[in-house]
Amino acid sequence: MANSKYEYVKKFEADDRLPPSNWIVVRIDGCHFHRFSAEHAFEKPNDENALNLMNVCAVSMLEQFPEIVFAYGVSDEYSFIWRENTQFYQRRASKLLSLCVSYFTSMYVMKWKEFFSYKELKGPPYFDGRVVCYPRAKMIRDYLAWRQVDCHINNQYNTCFWMLVKSGKTQKEAQEYLKGTQAKDKNELLFQQFNINYDKLPQMFRKGSCIYREKQTKTFQCYNDHFGGRNSEGRWQCQWRHENSKQSGSGAHGHYRPQFLDPTP
Ligand code: ATP
Ligand code: ATP
Ligand code: MG
Ligand code: MG
Ligand code: MG
Ligand code: MG
């Protein structure tokens, strides 16, 4: 196949490697989820199952792509932050973006039934995505703060909007009613008319969701279903099993398969 007369077409490919030493953010967003959420009768303003489905997909992303260090999600969007010096796919934008979008979308479909066992998927959910590079950690923090402020503003608005609609207003009337209102007017409205203390609503709705890795040392304590037990000091000890020889033992060894179960008896 090498050096055929057709080989030249390869030269038309753009070099889309992202600049070195930049944090890479891939943000995906559901396409037409306003409609998708209506078709699948999502609870308004926040369908907890739909949010948790997004969260589970994001966890799978971190499991699949070790170079993603953090993810933040709200509504139908998720931002995935790649290690600043990742060399994954030579930092090619099109590769990172398409991997994120396709893996997430596949996960969303595969896991749908776990969250909506009683609802058939009526159409294919799909996502768009973009890549942005940030050269400083501060900018990443500002990026996340920006998304979180967006979450807060939208959620506050949507909470008012749907309470008004559920109390009998048409969507148009609710929209008119909220025109020009400030944050404190909205809090007041929720409290006075609906007896809702906005600050007491679930954090996931107000602040969005984060996925990150917990730092792990080799000498962690955990409890394994089959071999678990306390050591002589009464502390839970890591139990291990050698993958090949099926040997088992305890302590901090090189090759073990940890089980992370709740250590509290
Ligand atoms: P676009 O294709 O441009 O992204 P969109 O319809 O997806 O259009 P967004 O601005 O992304 O518009 O907003 C997503 C919409 O999806 C929200 O307005 C909301 O109606 C709906 N939605 C997403 N997640 C949930 C959820 N967990 N609960 C209820 N509604 C949701
Ligand atoms: P990469 O992630 O780098 O693309 P890959 O394993 O997908 O790695 P490709 O060069 O894309 O490698 O090759 C796709 C491989 O998938 C083929 O080598 C073949 O083994 C397998 N494959 C794909 N489609 C078929 C098919 N229809 N029937 C049998 N094998 C297939
Ligand atoms: Mg969009
Ligand atoms: Mg969308
Ligand atoms: Mg969105
Ligand atoms: Mg392939």
Side-chain angles (χ1 to χ4, degrees), residues 71-84:
Y72 174 73
V74 33
S75 179
D76 66 339
E77 73 169 60
Y78 242 101
S79 298
F80 297 98
I81 300 176
W82 293 74
R83 198 168 65 77
E84 69 180 322

Side-chain angles (χ1 to χ4, degrees), residues 124-136:
Y126 59 111
F127 293 81
D128 66 26
R130 73 194 70 197
V131 188
V132 188
C133 282
Y134 293 104
R136 311 238 185 288

Side-chain angles (χ1 to χ4, degrees), residues 7-27:
E7 194 80 0
Y8 79 96
V9 298
K10 189 103 181 88
K11 296 204 174 80
F12 284 71
E13 282 184 20
D15 178 0
D16 64 347
R17 281 173 292 183
L18 295 164
S21 300
N22 272 255
W23 301 89
I24 300 168
V25 178
V26 175
R27 182 168 79 253

Side-chain angles (χ1 to χ4, degrees), residues 20 176 205 232:
E176 282 301 317
F205 300 170
S232 53

Side-chain angles (χ1 to χ4, degrees), residues 5-253:
K5 68 174 177 177
Y6 306 118
E7 194 80 0
Y8 79 96
V9 298
K10 189 103 181 88
K11 296 204 174 80
F12 284 71
E13 282 184 20
D15 178 0
D16 64 347
R17 281 173 292 183
L18 295 164
S21 300
N22 272 255
W23 301 89
I24 300 168
V25 178
V26 175
R27 182 168 79 253
I28 61 155
D29 184 285
C31 292
H32 310 299
F33 261 49
H34 188 73
R35 191 176 66 209
F36 183 86
S37 63
E39 280 170 355
H40 295 88
F42 281 13
E43 244 171 67
K44 294 292 181 176
N46 288 292
D47 188 299
E48 202 171 336
N49 285 326
L51 291 174
N52 281 324
L53 171 56
M54 293 288 290
N55 291 342
V56 156
C57 295
V59 169
S60 305
M61 291 282 289
L62 268 80
E63 284 167 358
Q64 178 68 19
F65 304 114
E67 302 276 270
I68 297 176
V69 293
F70 191 84
Y72 174 73
V74 33
S75 179
D76 66 339
E77 73 169 60
Y78 242 101
S79 298
F80 297 98
I81 300 176
W82 293 74
R83 198 168 65 77
E84 69 180 322
N85 284 318
T86 183
Q87 290 307 316
F88 199 52
Y89 280 88
Q90 300 173 71
R91 301 173 72 83
R92 289 162 68 187
S94 54
K95 292 283 188 185
L96 298 183
L97 180 60
S98 57
L99 286 167
C100 282
V101 170
S102 75
Y103 196 84
F104 191 95
T105 306
S106 286
M107 258 5 252
Y108 194 95
V109 174
M110 285 180 73
K111 303 257 180 204
W112 174 266
K113 276 276 152 181
E114 287 177 27
F115 293 86
F116 295 107
S117 55
Y118 50 97
K119 285 182 193 172
E120 286 299 323
L121 261 176
K122 293 185 177 167
Y126 59 111
F127 293 81
D128 66 26
R130 73 194 70 197
V131 188
V132 188
C133 282
Y134 293 104
R136 311 238 185 288
K138 178 189 183 300
M139 292 174 182
I140 285 293
R141 287 195 294 275
D142 289 346
Y143 169 84
L144 292 167
W146 172 56
R147 294 324 301 148
Q148 197 169 42
V149 167
D150 206 58
C151 168
H152 166 67
I153 290 170
N154 287 334
N155 188 58
Q156 206 181 30
Y157 180 91
N158 290 337
T159 306
C160 293
F161 178 86
W162 286 104
M163 285 314 295
L164 291 168
V165 170
K166 285 174 185 175
S167 72
K169 288 202 190 314
T170 64
Q171 298 205 5
K172 193 154 176 53
E173 283 165 355
Q175 206 180 343
E176 282 301 317
Y177 195 92
L178 291 171
K179 222 174 227 169
T181 53
Q182 302 294 306
K184 78 171 189 333
D185 306 326
K186 293 195 188 74
N187 276 348
E188 203 60 19
L189 164 81
L190 288 174
F191 196 67
Q192 300 295 347
Q193 287 198 36
F194 304 110
N195 203 22
I196 291 174
N197 181 345
Y198 184 79
D199 292 337
K200 294 271 157 66
L201 292 177
Q203 293 214 49
M204 181 164 71
F205 300 170
R206 291 183 290 118
K207 300 180 178 177
S209 304
C210 297
I211 317 288
Y212 54 92
R213 299 175 194 284
E214 299 243 79
K215 270 216 171 113
Q216 229 184 59
T217 58
K218 286 249 168 168
T219 51
F220 50 79
Q221 294 169 18
C222 64
Y223 173 59
N224 178 307
D225 229 6
H226 306 292
F227 311 110
R230 291 172 190 272
N231 66 13
S232 53
E233 292 149 0
R235 292 164 65 180
W236 289 98
Q237 193 159 19
C238 173
Q239 307 291 324
W240 59 274
R241 176 163 50 174
H242 200 281
E243 295 285 352
N244 300 320
S245 65
K246 298 274 184 282
Q247 283 178 309
S248 62
S250 64
H253 293 262

